[in-house]
Amino acid sequence: MATLSVVMLSNWSNCCNRPSGDYKFRQAYRRNNLHLRQSSHLSSSFHCLCATTLPVLEEQKRTFDAERAASLVKDLRNNFRSGRTKSYEWRVAQLQSILRMIDENEKMIIEALYEDLGKPELESFTAEITMLKSSSKEALEQLKRWMTPEKVKTSISLYPSSAEIVSEPLGVVLVISTWNFPFLLSLDPVIGAVAAGNAVVLKPSELAPATSSVLAKLLEKYVDRSAITVVEGAVAETSALLEQKWDKIFFTGGGRVGRIVLTAAAKHLTPVVLELGGKCPAVVDSNVNIEVAVRRIIAGKWACNNGQACIGVDYIITTKDFAPKLIDALRNGLEEFFGKDPFESKDRSRIVNSFHFKRLVGLMDEDKVSDKIVLGAQRDESQLQIAPTILLNVPEDSLIMQEEIFGPLLPILTVDNVEDSFEMINEKSKPLVAYLFSDDEQLKKKFVQNVSSGGMAINDTVIQVSVSGLPFGGVGESGMGLYHGKFSFETFSHKKAVLYRSFAGDSSLRYPPYTPEKQKLFKAVISGNIFGIILALLGWSRD
Ligand code: NAD
């Protein structure tokens, strides 16, 4: 803590008197690898330090407290109530501006992602920029259709009438985002919220400070600030926001904070989407094109933010007989992609910060696990890099199998029969995604029918999220609620049920006094019994 204080104090002298959202301050913040949340010890020590040695942080805290949050929500609510965000034109203008913002600032975005995560340019381009542009374009193309009320049939007993489902915006919504795909996972929900006609507050992750700053600066410049706002910050700022009444909270992050969000939302009966994580398994059958399978597993693990992805492969299950062949193929594939010395490769992101680096090292250095390493395990804290690491048959009660790995470590578990893997997966919390590699049609069917998860991909990894017709979201511990494409629009809309009637055809049948004749006719009409209706109208009865 003493060293930390010295480092922070020297930074403080540079940062003092700067605005609270100052970029250099945030960089220093990250360089010192302070993780403010996941370790309660670190977190409380840090706050203690703030109070005594870092008035700038106190200032930051003061500048966005519950009072400021309340005032922000009030302003946004007034703007929402004015009706401006509901119009088709407003929504289109915002979506076009977001698209233009991404187009005109691609370089700045890629640089920020590199600064936060060492993310390779191509990965930033495909997994963040392109995905967001597709979302914006789809929303622009489909918005009219999405906004058009959906006609619904009414029953004969309500003749004459018509009915429709009208999608209306929820109001003022909060989006809380995470650091691993900090641009995509911040803006993608915002696109849905804006398309649906809401006012939005976005709270990006403080662990990707460069991207957070770029988001704040760019959105302020490009979109309607009276209805779309960014609040940067960490726990204090998020807590201040969570005290407010929202019409929806869309949270992406871990289950621990997800529970905090859900608890805060319950106070106001606010609906919540929780996009959480978990341990995504990949079952690898021996009946498989091993070269292609291995390339796609590597792509979905190490070439996808270096394993720091909620949909990345967390662990593999394969048969005892096939495991040695699979490990050899993975070893060769990794060398082909990243070279003999994986630290030389520029094609893998780095670990986000020192806290996570140490957490990952702890997972592979645990006593009952360290002798299970079959590949990798080299680490370099100064570069925040860990080599692609494969472990074979780690015990189920090891930390690496108990928590989401979220990094470049890949345990392989073995079973006698590939179908035994279904039970192994189902025994754990439901994952966000479950993967299967197999050419066996029967096995594919059984996997889809018997394994429960947020989503699935057969014979590939990660790219399923680019299919906008598929909803994205978890189940059980991996989350609740859906988005992407039209599902994003629906997530941020209320489906209002509307029945239209005219004053014609007002039958006395439904009104008292309920004579026996009326009752017969009423029952016949309700049950759709044409013969009964005729009998009742003629005054005859079968009773
Ligand atoms: P996190 O839950 O620690 O943080 C997410 C957000 O919550 C951040 O904006 C942070 O500022 C805020 N926050 C943190 N502590 C808080 C507190 N005490 N009170 C209020 N707000 C708080 O998650 P993370 O470490 O940023 O992200 C990793 C997790 O997110 C992993 O579990 C991963 O699987 C999951 N994830 C899920 C998806 C998805 O789409 N399902 C995508 C990416 C990441």
Side-chain angles (χ1 to χ4, degrees):
M1 185 47 68
T3 331
L4 195 63
S5 300
V6 170
V7 179
M8 290 305 287
L9 274 170
S10 66
N11 281 322
W12 176 72
S13 59
N14 294 330
C15 299
C16 193
N17 299 327
R18 289 176 192 272
S20 61
D22 182 85
Y23 179 58
K24 280 206 173 134
F25 172 76
R26 279 192 302 271
Q27 280 183 307
Y29 203 75
R30 181 170 64 72
R31 268 202 304 276
N32 290 307
N33 292 316
L34 289 173
H35 194 284
L36 307 181
R37 301 163 293 116
Q38 274 127 321
S39 154
S40 57
H41 165 72
L42 246 188
S43 179
S44 57
S45 314
F46 181 75
H47 283 298
C48 178
L49 187 72
C50 288
T52 53
T53 61
L54 289 174
V56 69
L57 269 192
E58 267 309 312
E59 175 58 25
Q60 190 177 17
K61 260 196 200 166
R62 267 202 305 279
T63 52
F64 199 85
D65 54 11
E67 205 179 313
R68 280 275 309 275
S71 148
L72 171 66
V73 176
K74 192 172 165 210
D75 288 349
L76 289 172
R77 200 167 290 290
N78 285 339
N79 290 331
F80 174 75
R81 285 199 182 124
S82 76
R84 59 189 284 122
T85 68
K86 288 187 186 169
S87 76
Y88 172 76
E89 290 70 25
W90 182 87
R91 304 184 200 195
V92 165
Q94 304 316 307
L95 292 169
Q96 282 171 339
S97 295
I98 290 176
L99 197 53
R100 195 158 48 82
M101 174 186 96
I102 301 170
D103 266 336
E104 289 174 3
N105 297 282
E106 206 173 285
K107 191 164 173 277
M108 191 197 290
I109 296 161
I110 285 173
E111 279 170 7
L113 290 167
Y114 187 78
E115 188 173 334
D116 285 332
L117 290 150
K119 207 170 258 202
E121 184 172 338
L122 189 71
E123 228 182 286
S124 295
F125 184 74
T126 51
E128 309 230 22
I129 288 172
T130 308
M131 290 279 287
L132 278 173
K133 281 166 76 169
S134 306
S135 285
S136 316
K137 282 179 189 161
E138 182 179 3
L140 280 165
E141 279 161 19
Q142 301 295 332
L143 191 57
K144 230 177 205 142
R145 203 161 61 85
W146 293 346
M147 286 175 73
T148 305
E150 186 188 329
K151 295 282 175 211
V152 171
K153 272 193 187 164
T154 58
S155 68
I156 186 169
S157 56
L158 294 186
Y159 183 82
S161 67
S162 66
E164 63 185 12
I165 303 167
V166 175
S167 293
E168 69 173 16
L170 294 168
V172 185
V173 302
L174 173 64
V175 173
I176 304 173
S177 180
T178 182
W179 52 265
N180 61 337
F181 290 84
F183 198 62
L184 172 73
L185 299 177
S186 296
L187 272 188
D188 214 13
V190 169
I191 289 169
V194 167
N198 297 280
V200 198
V201 171
L202 165 66
K203 210 298 288 173
S205 172
E206 71 282 15
L207 296 194
T211 311
S212 172
S213 168
V214 162
L215 279 163
K217 277 182 203 151
L218 291 183
L219 281 170
E220 189 176 18
K221 186 170 154 199
Y222 281 85
V223 296
D224 176 358
R225 284 150 56 188
S226 72
I228 305 168
T229 306
V230 177
V231 172
E232 289 192 87
V235 179
E237 291 78 3
T238 320
S239 305
L241 289 167
L242 284 173
E243 277 182 39
Q244 312 311 314
K245 179 171 170 54
W246 302 92
D247 296 300
K248 187 141 204 176
I249 302 175
F250 187 105
F251 171 80
T252 305
R256 185 185 66 85
V257 183
R259 284 170 171 81
I260 295 173
V261 170
L262 205 51
T263 307
K267 200 171 143 200
H268 301 288
L269 276 184
T270 298
V272 174
V273 172
L274 296 180
E275 291 289 342
L276 309 178
K279 293 184 81 62
C280 299
V283 174
V284 185
D285 183 24
S286 55
N287 180 1
V288 78
N289 179 331
I290 193 163
E291 283 78 26
V292 176
V294 155
R295 276 205 291 271
R296 291 177 182 177
I297 291 168
I298 296 174
K301 178 74 179 177
W302 296 281
C304 180
N305 205 27
N306 204 5
Q308 303 168 108
C310 58
I311 51 172
V313 177
D314 188 276
Y315 66 102
I316 283 178
I317 309 176
T318 191
T319 56
K320 284 192 176 86
D321 296 344
F322 193 63
K325 211 171 160 193
L326 180 63
I327 292 169
D328 277 348
L330 282 166
R331 184 182 284 114
N332 293 338
L334 282 165
E335 196 176 313
E336 190 189 321
F337 283 12
F338 303 117
K340 276 204 180 325
D341 178 359
F343 292 159
E344 288 296 307
S345 170
K346 299 276 174 279
D347 296 331
R348 282 186 311 125
S349 302
R350 62 164 167 73
I351 309 302
V352 63
N353 61 23
S354 171
F355 173 87
H356 281 285
F357 178 89
K358 290 194 170 89
R359 180 184 63 79
L360 289 162
V361 166
L363 293 186
M364 53 180 180
D365 286 355
E366 195 189 0
D367 276 350
K368 53 180 125 179
V369 158
S370 53
D371 62 340
K372 310 288 184 200
I373 294 168
V374 292
L375 181 75
Q378 303 91 320
R379 71 273 325 244
D380 178 350
E381 188 164 5
S382 67
Q383 287 189 60
L384 292 176
Q385 273 294 1
I386 296 173
T389 299
I390 297 175
L391 306 98
L392 182 62
N393 283 328
V394 292
E396 276 284 355
D397 65 351
S398 56
L399 283 174
I400 201 168
M401 284 313 296
Q402 293 297 311
E403 64 178 69
E404 181 181 8
I405 297 170
F406 225 60
L409 321 178
L410 180 66
I412 297 179
L413 307 181
T414 59
V415 284
D416 291 324
N417 184 319
V418 71
E419 286 182 31
D420 298 343
S421 61
F422 299 178
E423 190 56 29
M424 276 173 89
I425 298 169
N426 288 336
E427 272 170 3
K428 299 186 207 312
S429 302
K430 294 182 179 181
L432 186 57
V433 190
Y435 298 106
L436 170 70
F437 287 86
S438 177
D439 244 346
D440 179 339
E441 293 306 321
Q442 281 306 317
L443 187 68
K444 289 183 205 172
K445 264 194 200 137
K446 284 185 188 165
F447 188 75
V448 174
Q449 274 165 12
N450 295 309
V451 172
S452 184
S453 60
M456 284 187 164
I458 313 294
N459 292 332
D460 213 326
T461 62
V462 171
I463 55 158
Q464 71 276 7
V465 295
S466 65
V467 182
S468 69
L470 287 175
F472 179 74
V475 57
E477 289 272 323
S478 53
M480 56 181 83
L482 305 162
Y483 76 131
H484 285 194
K486 189 179 183 200
F487 301 101
S488 294
F489 175 85
E490 290 183 346
T491 277
F492 287 105
S493 300
H494 164 60
K495 296 261 180 208
K496 189 160 68 180
V498 184
L499 174 72
Y500 296 94
R501 298 215 64 198
S502 76
F503 292 111
D506 190 45
S507 162
S508 64
L509 205 57
R510 61 190 270 210
Y511 305 119
Y514 302 123
T515 61
E517 292 72 27
K518 271 192 189 175
Q519 286 188 44
K520 271 178 211 146
L521 187 54
F522 191 80
K523 282 179 188 165
V525 170
I526 291 292
S527 61
N529 178 353
I530 301 292
F531 188 58
I533 296 173
I534 295 168
L535 287 179
L537 286 172
L538 293 173
W540 296 338
S541 165
R542 284 202 274 174
D543 316 328

